[in-house]
Amino acid sequence: ERTVPPLGSRVSFSGLPLAPARRMAPSYRTEPAPGERWETARAQQALEAALAEGLRDACYSGAEAGRLAQELCELVRRRLRELSPPRYKLVCSVVLGQRAGQGVRVVSRALWDAACDGLASAAVTNASLFAVATVHGLYCE
């Protein structure tokens, strides 16, 4: 039985509650301070390591795929949050599916400032499943 969240609360597309929004004092900067930019290479390495760890012994199950995708997304978000400079918002997505000889293409587009924002994406496959994770690091004032 599904309960309806209270009016005005923040929920994700899946209906799960979102973490409360963090409030930061405005700095009136339109770009990150020197040395506080998104580092794509470090984010890429952390993303690949998190996916490899999260899927080390995983076997595809249709009943458990949703839970596994959510766990992977949370693991990726936690790992990249540790590396992220201040005032960056992370948007994480994970696509998980059974490997059964099909072809899959995952495409993502976003409107952003190429000088300040960044992207990391990684794909992992094993004998029974594939996973594609994408993280957008967006500078937010």
Side-chain angles (χ1 to χ4, degrees), residues 46-93:
L47 178 58
E48 290 170 359
L51 273 183
E53 177 187 323
L55 293 172
R56 183 177 305 126
D57 300 321
C59 188
Y60 185 82
S61 164
E64 294 294 316
R67 182 192 56 77
L68 180 57
Q70 286 179 342
E71 288 175 4
L72 281 172
C73 206
E74 183 60 26
L75 174 65
V76 164
R77 189 195 63 79
R78 273 196 322 267
R79 290 284 174 85
L80 269 73
R81 175 52 56 206
E82 294 170 3
L83 298 176
S84 245
R87 299 187 183 274
Y88 271 83
K89 177 184 252 184
L90 299 181
V91 180
C92 304
S93 67

Side-chain angles (χ1 to χ4, degrees), residues 60-62 65 96-102 104 128-130:
Y60 185 82
S61 164
L96 184 71
Q98 183 176 17
R99 198 165 162 208
Q102 77 280 20
V104 176
S128 68
L129 60 81
F130 68 89

Side-chain angles (χ1 to χ4, degrees), residues 91-124:
V91 180
C92 304
S93 67
V94 174
V95 176
L96 184 71
Q98 183 176 17
R99 198 165 162 208
Q102 77 280 20
V104 176
R105 290 190 189 261
V106 178
V107 177
S108 174
R109 291 196 175 167
L111 181 60
W112 66 22
D113 180 0
C116 300
D117 302 334
L119 164 79
S121 183
V124 172

